[in-house]
């Protein structure tokens, strides 16, 4: 797929700077928003229509929020190759809708460490669902676009305004940036766990 129209997006972020304006831009350009927890609350309070992830999964957030997006109705919609008729047939069979854009940034683990939290409390700040969505989306850049940081909102908006969608070259660039970001995140956690006793 060369040009990707953005019709359905997941927004689930820790850093909410610029989020309401970005969400409004997406809605104004015909995109349906799906979100979780505090992100959904902020978007709703900004007057934007937004669907809860739990409405997509038909399953509540559990384990204190540890499990929200880890579900086939989410990851099937992220990982489906839109150029593969078999993939698209599988989505239809299970009633899964594909996503076009995933906007996720991660729990601030560095901030948790800087606060001097004990090991167990710090470990709670290790993001699992976020990196999983980021990596899945980055892997499938042929069919979907990943947005891992608010600093990329303006370039995403410019791409959509100028082209009516997101080009394959742009999606590939965002995928590479995302894998760099998740590898740095994992390296930071590796260092922390190596240097702190259980």
């Amino acid at each position: 797929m060369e040009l990707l129209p953005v019709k359905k997006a997941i927004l689930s972020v820790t850093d909410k700077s610029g989020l309401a304006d970005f969400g409004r831009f997406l809605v104004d350009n015909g995109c349906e928003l799906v979100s979780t927890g505090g992100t959904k609350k902020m978007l709703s309070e900004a007057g934007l229509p937004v669907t809860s992830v739990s409405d997509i999964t038909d399953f509540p957030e559990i384990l204190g929020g540890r499990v929200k997006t880890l579900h086939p109705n989410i990851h099937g919609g992220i990982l489906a190759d839109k150029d593969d008729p078999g993939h698209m047939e599988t989505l239809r069979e299970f009633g899964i809708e594909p996503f076009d854009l995933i906007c996720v940034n991660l729990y601030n683990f560095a901030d948790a460490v800087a606060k001097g939290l004990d090991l167990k409390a710090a470990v709670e700040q290790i993001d699992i669902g976020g990196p999983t969505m980021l990596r899945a989306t980055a892997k499938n850049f042929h069919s979907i676009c990943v947005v891992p940081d608010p600093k990329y909102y303006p370039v995403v908006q410019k791409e959509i305004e100028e082209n009516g969608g997101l080009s394959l070259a742009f999606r590939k660039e965002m995928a590479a940036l995302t894998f760099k970001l998740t590898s740095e995140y994992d390296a930071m956690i590796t260092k922390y766990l190596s240097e702190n006793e259980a």
Side-chain angles (χ1 to χ4, degrees), residues 7-11 22-24 26-27 31-35 43 48-52:
K7 298 301 179 188
K8 190 163 188 170
I10 294 178
L11 279 60
F22 185 57
R24 186 168 291 107
L26 292 174
V27 169
C31 181
E32 176 189 347
L33 304 183
V34 176
S35 192
L43 293 168
L48 297 172
V50 56
T51 300
S52 173

Side-chain angles (χ1 to χ4, degrees), residues 33-112:
L33 304 183
V34 176
S35 192
T36 60
T39 306
K40 179 182 181 294
K41 183 173 184 286
M42 181 186 182
L43 293 168
S44 296
E45 288 174 352
L48 297 172
V50 56
T51 300
S52 173
V53 160
S54 59
D55 290 337
I56 303 288
T57 62
D58 196 28
F59 205 89
E61 295 183 12
I62 62 171
L63 307 181
R66 279 188 171 193
V67 179
K68 301 188 279 278
T69 57
L70 298 167
H71 192 281
N73 287 359
I74 299 299
H75 284 274
I78 290 172
L79 282 163
D81 179 348
K82 291 172 183 167
D83 291 326
D84 184 327
H87 282 201
M88 300 312 288
E89 178 56 35
T90 298
L91 293 193
R92 285 188 290 273
E93 179 184 348
F94 290 99
I96 299 171
E97 293 187 22
F99 293 101
D100 306 303
L101 183 144
I102 304 297
C103 175
V104 171
N105 55 65
L106 306 176
Y107 298 164
N108 193 334
F109 186 71
D111 188 48

